[in-house]
Amino acid sequence: MSEILFLTHRVPWPPNRGDKIRSHHILRKLMEYRSVHLACFAEDDAEANEASGIKSSLASAQITRRNKANWQAGIEALASGKPVSLTSFESADIRDYVRTILKTRPIDCIFVFSGQMAQFVPADFSGRLIMDFADVDSAKFESYADEGSGPMAWINRREGKLLRAFEKQVGLVADHSLFVSEAEAQLFRQRSGLGTEKVKAVGNGIDLCFYDPSKATAIECSDKRSLIIFTGQMDYRPNVEAVVSFATEVMPIILRQHPDAQFAIVGRAPSAEVLRLEGVHGTTVTGSVDDIRSWLKAADIVVAPLRIARGIQNKVLEAMAMGKPVVASAPAAQGIEAENDKHFCVADDAQHEAQLVCDLLSDSTKAKALGDRASALIRSTYSWETQLKDIAGLCGIDEPELVEAAE
């Protein structure tokens, strides 16, 4: 039987951040039908050596430590004319592994998760190539450039331009290019000139068993203050900008109407800029927590005030699955098949965010109804089984093989 080579830029376990969640569930789904070989990067030795049931069930795996400094990747990018996104992830070990696997195993499909991993696909590979971009990364760097100034604006503009050309080149070669939302897929169609037969939306899902409010215990609070929370990886620039804006611009307005309100920033690896928000306008920075569900369970409102966002925000889906009222910016709400004011509240700007949060804090009945409708929507639409129902077919696994494998 033919086999699959899966390339991804991070170790796809445990599924504890947005990109790892998606790659984790796609990998699991493909492993139901085929033997899968994995090549990926680890951020540190602990991640490289972490045990996983998936890891032990793979046909083979190459996990490479990524330890190239940003300055080194930048110099290599300038010298080679490549995007930094590619030079940061260059690896002779992974190139050698890919060549060996393709030479010695019956690989008829390479599944690439995240654009920077496409550089490892040999030009002469004749099998099926599935490219899961997830988001149009070049558009993110273009946004950074438009909002910035000085040297960083130039760097981001260069990155956006080079990455855009690379993404198009990969899209032209791939059998299918996948994105987490129809909006992202349509943007790529416009940029690449490719049609719907080649560029498709495959949405993110939610582990509905895990994000079940009946299975979570709320954190114990020493007082009865209203709790507003934000969840996410807190060294990721869009998340950092979001919480800085909310803590400094939105919370002062909320506190005038609800002086008991507190804002908790819940997530691992808070940057220095995030840590400085501790105590500012009722803000608490938790850092990594044992169980994110405990904070979601305790929250009165979950906010997603991202100013720059691509694709679908897992943090929004997770909060909705837990039955929490969500106030999201328009970029954070993009791509989620939900109705404004029915399943979540979408804010136009910081002032509007404050107004929506205050309204929900003042009307617990409305807040509960919003959360209940959100939970019902997620459970009917956003299971991983539903979202990935077509993934095997895209990889060339036909229906008889699917039925046989399932039995």
Side-chain angles (χ1 to χ4, degrees), residues 134-355:
D135 308 324
V136 183
D137 274 351
S138 58
K140 177 178 65 179
F141 287 102
E142 291 166 3
S143 296
Y144 291 160
D146 291 341
E147 293 194 354
S149 61
M152 283 307 302
W154 180 87
I155 290 170
N156 286 323
R157 189 167 294 108
R158 175 188 184 276
E159 188 72 6
K161 179 181 178 180
L162 293 177
L163 202 53
R164 179 171 178 166
F166 178 75
E167 289 167 346
K168 180 178 180 179
Q169 175 187 345
V170 173
L172 292 172
V173 174
D175 290 271
H176 298 291
S177 294
L178 310 183
F179 294 87
V180 297
S181 70
E182 181 56 33
E184 292 291 294
Q186 182 57 29
L187 175 60
F188 190 71
R189 292 183 197 117
Q190 293 169 357
R191 289 172 173 237
S192 65
L194 297 170
T196 55
E197 74 285 355
K198 294 266 287 183
V199 182
K200 300 180 180 297
V202 174
N204 278 354
I206 285 291
D207 185 336
L208 298 178
C209 182
F210 184 80
Y211 287 100
D212 181 344
S214 68
K215 298 179 180 179
T217 301
I219 57 165
E220 293 186 9
C221 299
S222 59
D223 52 34
K224 300 296 183 181
R225 298 173 67 188
S226 300
L227 180 60
I228 306 161
I229 75 167
F230 175 95
T231 65
Q233 180 79 17
M234 292 318 307
D235 58 357
Y236 179 53
R237 176 176 168 178
N239 287 347
V240 173
E241 293 178 349
V243 297
V244 169
S245 172
F246 195 86
T248 60
E249 300 175 43
V250 181
M251 279 302 294
I253 302 173
I254 293 172
L255 290 170
R256 286 200 288 270
Q257 293 188 44
H258 297 275
D260 67 331
Q262 58 180 326
F263 175 46
I265 300 169
V266 186
R268 67 178 61 81
S271 68
E273 192 172 6
V274 173
L275 291 172
R276 286 195 291 270
L277 295 174
E278 176 69 35
V280 175
H281 304 304
T283 299
T284 299
V285 180
T286 71
S288 181
V289 297
D290 292 333
D291 190 342
I292 192 66
R293 295 173 301 176
S294 297
W295 283 88
L296 288 169
K297 179 94 172 189
D300 294 289
I301 297 173
V302 178
V303 294
L306 291 107
R307 309 310 178 212
I308 295 176
R310 308 297 324 168
I312 292 178
Q313 296 299 310
N314 289 306
K315 58 173 62 68
V316 175
L317 297 181
E318 292 162 0
M320 293 172 71
M322 291 288 288
K324 292 300 172 178
V326 175
V327 174
S329 64
Q334 178 179 275
I336 298 176
E337 297 178 5
E339 294 181 37
N340 185 21
D341 291 331
K342 180 178 180 180
H343 303 110
F344 55 14
C345 293
V346 182
D348 299 326
D349 52 31
Q351 184 76 32
H352 195 201
E353 285 169 357
Q355 176 191 328

Side-chain angles (χ1 to χ4, degrees), residues 59-116:
S60 71
Q62 171 68 41
I63 302 175
T64 297
R65 278 276 283 110
R66 190 169 78 91
N67 49 22
K68 184 180 294 184
N70 290 337
W71 64 264
Q72 183 182 352
I75 291 173
E76 290 178 8
L78 290 173
S80 65
K82 295 180 179 180
V84 178
S85 302
L86 298 191
T87 57
S88 291
F89 284 85
E90 175 56 54
S91 167
D93 288 342
I94 287 186
R95 288 192 184 278
D96 289 343
Y97 172 80
V98 168
R99 281 194 293 267
T100 299
I101 289 297
L102 292 179
K103 182 183 297 185
T104 60
R105 304 301 305 174
I107 305 295
D108 72 346
C109 176
I110 299 179
F111 192 105
V112 182
F113 181 84
S114 196
Q116 55 265 58

Side-chain angles (χ1 to χ4, degrees), residues 7-81:
L7 309 177
T8 181
H9 68 312
R10 297 186 195 280
V11 174
W13 59 76
N16 56 8
R17 55 178 291 166
D19 48 4
K20 295 177 71 168
I21 292 170
R22 183 173 172 90
S23 62
H24 174 89
H25 285 280
I26 293 174
L27 176 59
R28 283 183 56 185
K29 175 57 68 174
L30 294 179
M31 289 174 67
E32 293 178 13
Y33 309 109
R34 291 286 188 271
S35 293
V36 179
H37 303 264
L38 169 71
C40 63
F41 287 92
E43 294 298 317
D44 52 41
D45 290 337
E47 188 175 57
N49 297 319
E50 189 160 9
S52 165
I54 291 182
K55 182 179 181 180
S56 61
S57 299
L58 289 164
S60 71
Q62 171 68 41
I63 302 175
T64 297
R65 278 276 283 110
R66 190 169 78 91
N67 49 22
K68 184 180 294 184
N70 290 337
W71 64 264
Q72 183 182 352
I75 291 173
E76 290 178 8
L78 290 173
S80 65

